[in-house]
Amino acid sequence: TAGSTIIGWSSFTAGRKEIFAKKIGKLVFIWFHIEGTSNATTASFTVPYRAVRLGINSSFAGALGFTQDNGAIQATPGSYVLFPYGSPTKVDLYVNASRTTLWTGANTKTVEGQFWYQEEG
């Protein structure tokens, strides 16, 4: 996490802001767990390598492994999006899969997941 910018938390529970990246060739594997006090209705973090642009307006997206908002574990998984055409190193995090619900800007917020993407270049 040392090189990552994390948005949406004012503090972290027992230092739980972990983002691990492993690059093999052009593939980048990411595992993350971010837990703490929410201070925004949005959430994101940055990754160390720019994502490649594939096709027209394509993105790397999927479900979170664990989602907690306002201290409550969500019944359905949240989601993440790494959109190379907007910001190729920023991963946006969402409360739900449809990306329509905002995070609660207070209390506890936790996200955890893993994904891979292709590096640009």
Side-chain angles (χ1 to χ4, degrees):
T1 57
S4 183
T5 300
I6 300 172
I7 304 294
W9 286 264
S10 60
S11 63
F12 302 98
T13 305
R16 294 183 190 130
K17 56 173 187 166
E18 302 153 333
I19 302 168
F20 296 99
K22 174 70 175 176
K23 189 173 105 136
I24 301 172
K26 294 275 181 201
L27 288 180
V28 181
F29 298 89
I30 303 291
W31 179 89
F32 60 94
H33 178 98
I34 307 169
E35 176 181 347
T37 303
S38 179
N39 70 348
T41 57
T42 60
S44 65
F45 65 89
T46 57
V47 291
Y49 307 100
R50 295 173 61 91
V52 68
R53 294 179 179 188
L54 299 171
I56 298 173
N57 286 333
S58 62
S59 64
F60 297 92
L64 295 175
F66 181 82
T67 310
Q68 180 190 53
D69 183 37
N70 198 20
I73 297 171
Q74 303 301 292
T76 58
S79 59
Y80 72 88
V81 176
L82 173 55
F83 186 62
Y85 291 88
S87 182
T89 60
K90 182 181 168 205
V91 179
D92 291 310
L93 305 164
Y94 298 93
V95 177
N96 59 16
S98 63
R99 304 178 198 140
T100 56
T101 302
L102 295 176
W103 294 96
T104 303
N107 300 320
T108 303
K109 173 167 52 185
T110 306
V111 294
E112 183 174 291
Q114 59 184 336
F115 64 96
W116 65 270
Y117 66 95
Q118 184 178 338
E119 181 190 19
E120 179 181 65

